[in-house]
Amino acid sequence: MNMRKNWFRSVFAVTGAATLIAGLTACGSSDAGEAAGSGAGEGLPDTIKIMSIKEMTGPVAFAGENSTKGVDLAVEQINEQGFLGDTKLEIDLKDSSDSTQEAASFATQAVSDSSYAAILGPGLSAQASAISPIAEKGQIPVVYYQAGSEGVLVGDYTYRVTAPAGSYYPVIGDYLKDRKVETAAVLYNSGNPTLTELGEKTVPGVIEDNGVSIERSDGVAVDAQDFTAVSSQIANDAPDAVFVLLTGPQNPRAVSQLRQKGYEGEIIGMTTMGAGNLQTAGEEAAGVVWPSNFSARSEAPSTQEFVEAYQEKYDGEVPNNYAAEGYDTVWLLARGIKEADSAERTAIQEGIAKIAAEGFDGAQGPLAFEGNDVRVEGVLASWDGSEEIVLTLDGS
């Protein structure tokens, strides 16, 4: 069987997918419900207020904006469907931009203000790592999207609905075999904790597990935009594949410069390639592939229900992974609240823990948890020169 013939282009283009992307004494968390509305102490209050800390401006605003769309859809469904009875969720959106200090300040505010029952966290690992100790000390639940670095989940109150890349990145294995990749180079952002971890540990492990030898590894600055020198070196070495692990805006420049320097091998990335981030590279990025945690093409019923609802709300727009993750953060939290039948912070944490132990079907499909961290199957996405698609092995 020639596996190469079995990779086919999804007929349903995916316009997005991708990534990358303290201390205060706790006030009485049991006051959260009382301050929010009537009925405290006897089930749920009229309103439960949640602080959502997102990167709405700055270099990763594309992630924060899309995540917030997913959050808004989930809240709308929960309130309209009466998932929590007569109780309504209320989101207080805070823009942390690219400021770790600002994100920590918002979290401190949430801890000290008893009207907040929980936090929906940001996607940047640096911000999440600053928030988590505050949340743990203040005993307020936080549910993150993205934020893939080690050290983000530090205790019972911190949860994450974006699976670590290392848990689904092995889906690249069949593709490497199909393309007969034997040698590789790694180009990664050494100033970003998540990307550094991927570039130095996670991805090299997957590469070597598939029998591919790493010929070279190059780290670049967090804000690097000129990759011409390293691109020339990689083109001269001519490995079978280059693994590009950079931030969203860096990806199209690096891909274009690799091609312009004459590199003709496979270019393999990560979720930061998605969400339209290769648009400016156009045809030069055609054929670039990357493992992803979400596809709007997934046949999982819960994914298709999400996609249909999302397109109805946002004028036919196809959701990307950030939107799916934002959606799942809210539904995990809402299920936890319902399980707890309380707006008290500690009770919500215990409710979330029960839901996580059972798993549930979300926008990303079936969600299972290892502790407080989600796991998904993963898909292989690609850029065809004008739009994002999904590659699938048909098994024939």
Side-chain angles (χ1 to χ4, degrees):
M1 178 179 70
N2 182 356
M3 284 182 63
R4 189 180 191 111
K5 295 180 180 178
N6 294 334
W7 289 99
F8 66 89
R9 174 187 189 280
S10 166
V11 297
F12 183 80
V14 183
T15 57
T19 323
L20 298 189
I21 45 183
L24 203 146
T25 303
C27 290
S29 58
S30 61
D31 293 337
E34 297 175 2
S38 63
E42 296 179 1
L44 301 177
D46 294 339
T47 303
I48 297 177
K49 189 163 76 171
I50 310 297
M51 179 181 285
S52 181
I53 304 173
K54 294 288 184 287
E55 309 85 344
M56 301 302 292
T57 56
V60 293
F62 59 89
E65 290 172 353
N66 282 290
S67 174
T68 296
K69 285 184 176 181
V71 168
D72 290 346
L73 172 60
V75 170
E76 181 179 286
Q77 290 179 336
I78 289 163
N79 289 343
E80 289 184 354
Q81 295 172 7
F83 182 76
L84 297 174
D86 294 331
T87 297
K88 305 298 183 186
L89 293 184
E90 176 184 312
I91 300 296
D92 184 13
L93 178 61
K94 304 291 188 184
D95 178 14
S96 57
S97 188
D98 59 349
S99 171
T100 298
Q101 183 177 4
E102 191 79 344
S105 177
F106 286 139
T108 300
Q109 177 187 338
V111 168
S112 62
D113 185 340
S114 61
S115 69
Y116 293 105
I119 297 172
L120 298 175
L124 287 173
S125 291
Q127 294 186 13
S129 295
I131 288 174
S132 289
I134 300 172
E136 284 296 319
K137 186 174 182 179
Q139 295 187 312
I140 185 170
V142 184
V143 184
Y144 295 107
Y145 80 111
Q146 295 290 307
S149 291
E150 293 181 357
V152 168
L153 303 182
V154 297
D156 294 338
Y157 286 83
T158 52
Y159 291 83
R160 181 167 52 201
V161 302
T162 302
S167 66
Y168 61 82
Y169 208 90
V171 301
I172 196 66
D174 286 341
Y175 187 85
L176 296 177
K177 293 174 184 174
D178 174 43
R179 294 298 193 262
K180 297 180 172 51
V181 173
E182 297 180 350
T183 60
V186 178
L187 177 63
Y188 68 99
N189 186 319
S190 58
N192 178 296
T194 299
L195 297 175
T196 299
E197 188 174 315
L198 284 170
E200 296 182 352
K201 297 180 181 178
T202 306
V203 173
V206 173
I207 294 172
E208 292 171 349
D209 285 347
N210 284 279
V212 178
S213 64
I214 299 174
E215 302 295 306
R216 60 180 296 141
S217 180
D218 296 277
V220 297
V222 66
D223 57 351
Q225 290 295 311
D226 184 357
F227 307 96
T228 54
V230 69
S231 294
S232 293
Q233 295 167 6
I234 291 172
N236 288 335
D237 291 348
D240 296 330
V242 181
F243 287 77
V244 178
L245 310 170
L246 301 173
T247 62
Q250 290 177 317
N251 284 309
R253 297 183 68 87
V255 169
S256 292
Q257 290 171 14
L258 278 164
R259 293 305 190 206
Q260 290 164 9
K261 291 299 179 182
Y263 180 71
E264 297 179 347
E266 300 287 338
I267 298 180
I268 300 169
M270 56 172 293
T271 53
T272 55
M273 294 280 191
N277 284 326
L278 293 181
Q279 187 78 46
T280 57
E283 282 292 333
E284 289 181 317
V288 172
V289 302
W290 63 93
S292 182
N293 58 319
F294 168 78
S295 168
R297 276 287 295 160
S298 168
E299 296 180 353
S302 60
T303 298
Q304 286 309 306
E305 290 173 7
F306 161 69
V307 172
E308 182 179 354
Y310 190 92
Q311 291 188 296
E312 182 176 349
K313 180 175 177 63
Y314 296 111
D315 299 324
E317 179 181 331
V318 179
N320 60 28
N321 65 312
Y322 300 125
E325 294 159 11
Y327 183 87
D328 286 340
T329 61
V330 179
W331 274 104
L332 173 59
L333 179 58
R335 283 177 163 84
I337 292 170
K338 187 170 185 175
E339 175 69 27
D341 192 28
S342 171
E344 190 267 327
R345 295 172 178 177
T346 300
I348 292 174
Q349 181 276 318
E350 293 172 351
I352 294 174
K354 290 182 180 178
I355 298 300
E358 298 169 355
F360 68 96
D361 292 342
Q364 300 173 80
L367 304 179
F369 285 79
E370 289 188 13
N372 295 8
D373 210 4
V374 80
R375 295 292 183 271
V376 298
E377 184 175 345
V379 298
L380 188 61
S382 180
W383 180 256
D384 75 351
S386 61
E387 61 187 5
E388 184 176 322
I389 60 175
V390 171
L391 299 181
T392 310
L393 260 179
D394 63 9
S396 62

